[in-house]
Amino acid sequence: MSKKVVYERIGNINKLIHEPSRLLIVSILSGVKEADFTFLLRMSGLTRGNLSVHLSKLEEAGYVNVNKRFVNKIPNTVYNLTKEGRKAFANYLKNMEEIIKGKKKEKEKEKGNEN
Amino acid sequence: MSAEKNNINEVKKVIQDVRASWWEDGLIEVMSGGLFMFMAAWFALMEFIPDANLKKGLEIGFYAVLIIFAISSAWVKRHFKKKYIWPKTGYARPQMSRKSKIVFLLVFVLIILNMVLISLWQLYQSGTSNVELPGFFIILNSYREGFFIGSFVFLAYFAVYLSINKKRFLITGILGLCSGIIAASILTIFNLDYSRMIVATILGIIGVYSLCTGIPRFLRFRRQL
């Protein structure tokens, strides 16, 4: 993979998912079918406000589905990754792995040229 | 390059930790330990009952109990977690990895295969049908129960290990498989066609180990909440 292709791939990284807090949230949601706000708060270690803002951004992008309901008369909000969200996350991971592979090949090529 | 690689490795670690959170309370280990102890008691009971028809009924009943447990355990776990655990830890519905789902499917296939083999063996032994069994099948019958039970246990725990990468599940699975192979060897060495007490002992060992790992974990988890 040439340097040009590697840089193109870097440019194509999904910036919405790449943001560290959102990457963490999407990673957590990819490991479950659905989870509530308390679970996400506990697993991510983010503050309530921070988590809320990032979930809203992901919901706006269509990556996360929000389902508000009542459990024993207590409001409970449950989140899950949509089909688009899972696809976007899978593509993000695939892209990152390709970048790592490409960079590794470039490094080996440079080492070979030096020798 | 190392920043991206760290990124990916951390993502994979997060996904594993999330899947492992379903198992962190030890509840499932306690339930499976209880099931193994119940199955051990069932097999031991079958050994001491003199009536042959009742024995056969209990053998068929064993598989019915397994199916009922498989269906009801999910409800019991969910109900218990909903009442005592989720209010503190938050709620999540687990998602198994694809590899784990394939291994669990293999467990069911093996259970069905074992039931077919038992039926064929019983038809052959009854002498009332024209069932002919190859020589190796007759030799293998002594290994059947020990090997199959050991394999079920190993595959079920291995499926969990694949999903969450926690060694204690792999150890329990290996313990189950080794117990099954040792039991099968004992059956063959002492020329016992099928000893329910040996099967009861295997299940009892796995049950005790599961309870010994599950109960302290559950109590520790409850204290932390």
Side-chain angles (χ1 to χ4, degrees):
Chain A
M1 198 187 279
S2 68
K3 251 187 188 169
K4 191 185 173 193
V5 175
V6 171
Y7 291 151
E8 263 174 30
R9 282 198 178 270
I10 291 170
N12 288 337
I13 287 173
N14 186 329
K15 290 166 187 64
L16 186 69
I17 291 179
H18 189 61
E19 199 283 331
S21 300
R22 285 196 288 271
L23 177 58
L24 180 58
I25 294 166
V26 171
S27 303
I28 293 168
L29 285 173
S30 73
V32 294
K33 285 185 184 161
E34 60 182 14
D36 71 3
F37 191 84
T38 309
F39 182 84
L40 291 172
L41 201 64
R42 185 171 73 97
M43 292 303 290
S44 64
L46 297 169
T47 61
R48 283 184 172 271
N50 217 355
L51 178 61
S52 207
V53 161
H54 289 302
L55 281 168
S56 298
K57 286 205 167 114
L58 290 167
E59 190 193 357
E60 272 165 30
Y63 290 168
V64 162
N65 190 35
V66 181
N67 184 15
K68 291 183 199 270
R69 60 187 190 188
F70 285 88
V71 174
N72 298 331
K73 295 179 186 175
I74 299 166
N76 182 252
T77 311
V78 174
Y79 302 86
N80 64 283
L81 274 184
T82 58
K83 225 174 178 175
E84 293 77 28
R86 288 193 188 270
K87 200 174 171 184
F89 185 55
N91 287 339
Y92 170 83
L93 289 177
K94 192 177 170 188
N95 204 19
M96 291 298 281
E97 276 163 9
E98 292 291 318
I99 291 169
I100 293 165
K101 257 190 231 164
K103 278 191 168 182
K104 198 177 179 182
K105 277 186 185 155
E106 274 301 308
K107 214 173 184 178
E108 283 166 5
K109 214 176 172 181
E110 278 167 20
K111 248 187 193 166
N113 288 341
E114 273 171 27
N115 295 335
Chain B
M1 184 183 78
S2 61
E4 285 92 2
K5 205 173 183 182
N6 284 341
N7 216 9
I8 296 288
N9 289 340
E10 276 171 28
V11 164
K12 288 178 180 169
K13 176 92 182 33
V14 164
I15 296 172
Q16 252 173 14
D17 287 347
V18 164
R19 289 187 178 136
S21 68
W22 178 253
W23 305 86
E24 68 184 338
D25 54 21
L27 178 66
I28 292 165
E29 281 156 283
V30 169
M31 284 180 67
S32 57
L35 172 68
F36 282 122
M37 296 300 285
F38 171 78
M39 281 163 39
W42 189 287
F43 270 84
L45 182 70
M46 276 199 281
E47 185 67 18
F48 293 113
I49 284 178
D51 186 53
N53 287 331
L54 192 56
K55 228 178 237 200
K56 216 171 245 179
L58 280 173
E59 204 155 321
I60 295 165
F62 173 71
Y63 288 100
V65 164
L66 273 185
I67 290 164
I68 291 167
F69 179 82
I71 295 165
S72 64
S73 66
W75 181 85
V76 168
K77 262 181 275 173
R78 194 182 164 84
H79 183 75
F80 189 89
K81 281 182 184 264
K82 193 177 178 182
K83 197 162 182 187
Y84 299 108
I85 293 170
W86 288 338
K88 300 271 171 78
T89 64
Y91 156 74
R93 244 174 85 200
Q95 174 137 9
M96 248 194 293
S97 66
R98 199 177 287 173
K99 283 185 217 167
S100 301
K101 284 179 189 169
I102 291 168
V103 175
F104 264 120
L105 191 66
L106 191 60
V107 173
F108 282 112
V109 166
L110 278 178
I111 290 174
I112 291 164
L113 180 66
N114 191 35
M115 285 169 74
V116 167
L117 290 174
I118 291 171
S119 310
L120 279 174
W121 178 252
Q122 285 173 345
L123 273 170
Y124 171 79
Q125 277 196 313
S126 68
T128 56
S129 73
N130 295 324
V131 169
E132 280 189 27
L133 295 175
F136 75 85
F137 188 97
I138 297 163
I139 296 163
L140 279 179
N141 184 63
S142 299
Y143 273 94
R144 185 176 37 79
E145 282 309 308
F147 179 72
F148 269 100
I149 291 172
S151 303
F152 298 155
V153 171
F154 173 74
L155 286 172
Y157 280 94
F158 185 64
V160 174
Y161 170 73
L162 278 178
S163 206
I164 68 173
N165 200 30
K166 297 285 178 194
K167 280 197 185 113
R168 68 181 193 273
F169 292 98
L170 185 63
I171 292 169
T172 313
I174 291 171
L175 181 73
L177 184 64
C178 292
S179 305
I181 292 168
I182 290 168
S185 307
I186 293 170
L187 287 171
T188 313
I189 291 166
F190 292 100
N191 206 24
L192 299 166
D193 180 37
Y194 175 54
S195 169
R196 289 182 185 84
M197 280 313 296
I198 288 176
V199 173
T201 309
I202 306 168
L203 295 171
I205 291 169
I206 301 163
V208 165
Y209 182 76
S210 264
L211 286 172
C212 287
T213 53
I215 292 172
R217 178 166 289 274
F218 178 71
L219 293 172
R220 205 165 44 235
F221 184 80
R222 285 281 288 168
R223 271 201 298 272
Q224 282 169 8
L225 284 180

